[in-house]
Amino acid sequence: MSSDTGVLGVVGDEKVGGSNFYESNAMEAAREAAGRGHVATDQYGQALVEFDKAAERRLRLKIDLCIVPTVALIYLFCFIDRANIGNAKLAGFEKDLDLKGYDYNTVLSIFYISYIIFEIPCNIACKWMGPGWFLPASTLAFGICSLGTAFVHNIHAVSGVRFLLGIFEAGMLPGIAYYLSRWYRRSELAFRLALYIVMAPLAGAFGGLLASAILTLDHVGSLKTWRMIFAVEGIITIGLGLISFVTLTDRPETAKWLTSEEKALAIARLKSERVSTTEVLDKLDRTKTLRGIFCPITLSTSFIFLLNNITVQGLAFFAPTIVKTIYPNNSVVSQQLHTVPPYVVGAFFTVLFPLLSWRFDNRMVFFVISPPLMFTGYIMFLASTSPTVRYGATFLIASGAFAFGALCTAHVSNNVVSDTARSSAIGTTVMFGNVGGLISTWSFLPFDSPNYHIGNGLNLATSTMIMILGACLWWWMKSDNKKRSKIDVDQALRGLSQKQIQSLDWRNPGFRWRP
């Protein structure tokens, strides 16, 4: 039915291929669609290229196997190196560094200050350097910072190391999301993002197991207790960073593991979803950068991610503390292990919801149905002091909260056109999300223990607001798409050059919002 490229046609309504006689024409059609200076859509955003589904499945599986494992492992240790301070707290971190009052919260906050400041600059740097170099270099750098934390002796030293850790981790979540957008269609993206973002809840589970295992050791070199956690996990991260310099491929054109036909298919199928796009990877452009930042979908989704991250990061930093209040008489190792099951359940839903969003090609529905899981959990926390009820509540909260990382970044990526706008849109979303992370560091305060009415009440409010905002955003997208469908695109674009049309990005009247 198709050639090796999987392309059935490109020129007008005329289909090319469909038998061995036409294979060479089909291959040429794919190369033409993938080539610079050519578009793969008409001015209404309708694809001019058709693909063989079997060829796409083979290509997609190949990309999955070659790209996803490395970025998933990188993000696993990115999150472990960020959140292991919560495990270290149970093992004497505060006592050894003489942290008192709100010192622990201050140390957590310092990480987010640099994280927020460098979020967008790091994602722009990722585009400029290329993800194939930027992501391994960042991994190596934050691994060194994690290792350095094992040797701090006061609040000033740990604050400095955490500030540097924030700089080097700032580009990881948006950088990987941007990187995967170079490889996958819009409907496919959320699930692939979930395959690495699921490492956040798994990091909570694996981090607790790893910390428990490390603490059973007597020492690592001259390091003991919580210092061993940072040293061992930092060394593993450094090794992973060095390996990823070899294993990460920057973009389809440079992938040695793809044939020339597969490269053409990979590029052409991305172009077929981007209205008026003549090249998948454009040069950095100020206008397109601002289009990504100030897209209404970017700004609204960013605020939703901010609210959600108050819960996600709060769980990461305070889950061990919360479990300690539920099971105060258990051993430290037992308390560490009790943090694992809620994260495992959360990880399941982190993959399930984006997988369903891929199948139904709709992300907004999960913006509405996930928050009830979260606010039900916080209602249970506020309404009961039973350890069983409260421990059960952590499962509901994790189930509803963790999927938003994939859903939000995929949503903003899907609702801009150019590669530059996609980079800045994802960076903006994650930056806002980490403002939520900063807020989370002050949501569970010492004087509010053991019931933490302030922290639980705050998260009840944010999860409720997420549901309301998600429903409103979904309604607005449908409404605006109806307005766009009434515009005469030919008349609106008359007199504009190809460059001017591409600079319109989501303002192009032929563009439609993707829920």
Side-chain angles (χ1 to χ4, degrees):
M1 180 178 177
S2 68
S3 72
D4 292 338
T5 65
V7 175
L8 295 180
V10 170
V11 183
D13 295 325
E14 179 183 350
K15 292 190 176 182
V16 184
S19 67
N20 291 335
F21 179 79
Y22 291 111
E23 280 188 3
S24 61
N25 289 334
M27 186 181 301
E28 182 60 34
R31 293 184 186 280
E32 182 178 347
R36 291 181 178 273
H38 297 278
V39 296
T41 72
D42 62 21
Q43 57 190 353
Y44 294 91
Q46 300 298 315
L48 297 175
V49 188
E50 294 184 39
F51 304 103
D52 176 21
K53 299 300 182 183
E56 281 200 279
R57 282 196 298 270
R58 289 193 298 270
L59 174 65
R60 193 165 51 231
L61 178 61
K62 199 170 187 179
I63 295 172
D64 287 343
L65 295 176
C66 293
I67 294 296
V68 174
T70 297
V71 296
L73 283 173
I74 286 176
Y75 193 64
L76 172 66
F77 279 90
C78 172
F79 209 89
I80 285 177
D81 289 352
R82 176 193 315 177
N84 56 12
I85 193 170
N87 301 108
K89 184 183 179 185
L90 287 184
F93 175 81
E94 283 183 297
K95 182 180 178 181
D96 289 352
L97 297 186
D98 195 29
L99 302 183
K100 300 176 181 177
Y102 300 116
D103 285 350
Y104 178 72
N105 301 79
T106 301
V107 170
L108 296 183
S109 298
I110 286 171
F111 167 85
Y112 278 104
I113 291 172
S114 57
Y115 204 111
I116 292 166
I117 292 172
F118 287 91
E119 197 73 65
I120 294 177
C122 279
N123 221 38
I124 292 174
C126 182
K127 176 173 173 58
W128 177 67
M129 291 176 60
W133 292 99
F134 178 85
L135 295 177
S138 296
T139 303
L140 179 63
F142 69 71
I144 292 172
C145 288
S146 181
L147 176 61
T149 312
F151 299 94
V152 300
H153 292 281
N154 54 57
I155 188 173
H156 306 294
V158 72
S159 295
V161 173
R162 293 289 293 184
F163 186 85
L164 290 175
L165 185 68
I167 293 175
F168 296 125
E169 287 200 2
M172 296 308 296
L173 174 56
I176 296 174
Y178 162 66
Y179 177 52
L180 293 182
S181 74
R182 290 185 166 193
W183 298 85
Y184 294 104
R185 282 178 175 269
R186 291 185 293 189
S187 61
E188 303 163 353
L189 186 59
F191 178 60
R192 270 68 191 185
L193 295 180
L195 293 179
Y196 87 86
I197 290 177
V198 70
M199 293 300 155
L202 288 181
F206 181 65
L209 291 172
L210 185 57
S212 300
I214 293 171
L215 290 173
T216 61
L217 302 175
D218 182 62
H219 62 88
V220 174
S222 61
L223 304 174
K224 297 184 177 182
T225 62
W226 59 268
R227 297 182 186 277
M228 297 188 298
I229 297 174
F230 290 108
V232 172
E233 293 174 358
I235 290 170
I236 294 173
T237 305
I238 290 170
L240 181 60
L242 293 173
I243 293 171
S244 61
F245 274 109
V246 178
T247 58
L248 276 188
T249 302
D250 193 62
R251 57 192 183 278
E253 295 96 316
T254 61
K256 295 180 180 179
W257 40 271
L258 290 179
T259 66
S260 59
E261 291 81 9
E262 289 170 332
K263 292 177 183 179
L265 174 58
I267 297 168
R269 72 195 206 106
L270 294 181
K271 270 192 177 183
S272 69
E273 293 188 319
R274 302 181 185 179
V275 60
S276 302
T277 296
T278 59
E279 53 190 8
V280 172
L281 299 182
D282 58 345
K283 294 181 180 179
L284 276 171
D285 179 276
R286 180 176 177 272
T287 300
K288 293 177 184 176
T289 299
L290 295 177
R291 288 274 192 262
I293 295 173
F294 293 106
C295 172
I297 300 300
T298 299
L299 295 177
S300 54
T301 305
S302 295
F303 186 62
I304 289 173
F305 195 41
L306 182 156
L307 296 173
N308 177 73
N309 242 26
I310 294 175
T311 293
V312 171
Q313 302 300 338
L315 279 177
F317 290 126
F318 295 102
T321 302
I322 294 170
V323 168
K324 185 177 181 180
T325 66
I326 299 173
Y327 301 105
N329 298 321
N330 289 29
S331 68
V332 172
V333 171
S334 173
Q335 290 169 353
Q336 299 275 15
L337 292 176
H338 270 90
T339 66
V340 174
Y343 280 110
V344 173
V345 173
F348 172 75
F349 282 92
T350 300
V351 175
L352 176 64
F353 286 162
L355 174 61
L356 293 175
S357 81
W358 173 27
R359 295 305 181 193
F360 295 110
D361 195 13
N362 189 308
R363 282 139 295 280
M364 290 307 303
V365 64
F366 298 100
F367 279 54
V368 177
I369 67 173
S370 296
L373 293 171
M374 298 159 61
F375 63 65
T376 300
Y378 286 111
I379 289 173
M380 292 167 64
F381 258 116
L382 291 167
S384 175
T385 56
S386 165
T388 303
V389 172
R390 288 190 161 190
Y391 190 55
T394 62
F395 287 83
L396 286 176
I397 295 165
S399 299
F402 281 105
F404 272 89
L407 294 171
C408 288
T409 48
H411 190 54
V412 297
S413 175
N414 290 348
N415 284 289
V416 291
V417 179
S418 67
D419 189 69
T420 296
R422 184 167 291 102
S423 172
S424 60
I426 294 172
T428 301
T429 301
V430 179
M431 181 191 75
F432 272 79
N434 286 299
V435 172
L438 177 59
I439 295 170
S440 77
T441 63
W442 294 93
S443 59
F444 293 91
L445 300 171
F447 75 84
D448 200 30
S449 68
N451 294 319
Y452 295 107
H453 291 298
I454 295 174
N456 292 320
L458 172 64
N459 282 282
L460 173 59
T462 57
S463 55
T464 304
M465 184 61 69
I466 289 171
M467 184 179 68
I468 295 171
L469 291 176
C472 291
L473 178 58
W474 195 3
W475 173 84
W476 179 85
M477 292 172 70
K478 288 184 176 181
S479 176
D480 196 60
N481 277 344
K482 288 182 180 178
K483 292 179 181 178
R484 287 170 177 257
S485 66
K486 297 176 182 178
I487 298 174
D488 185 336
V489 178
D490 292 328
Q491 179 63 33
L493 299 181
R494 186 166 295 144
L496 297 180
S497 67
Q498 183 63 43
K499 183 178 180 180
Q500 289 173 318
I501 293 173
Q502 290 189 84
S503 294
L504 290 173
D505 207 86
W506 55 268
R507 288 181 176 272
N508 189 318
F511 177 78
R512 296 292 183 270
W513 304 115
R514 293 283 294 267

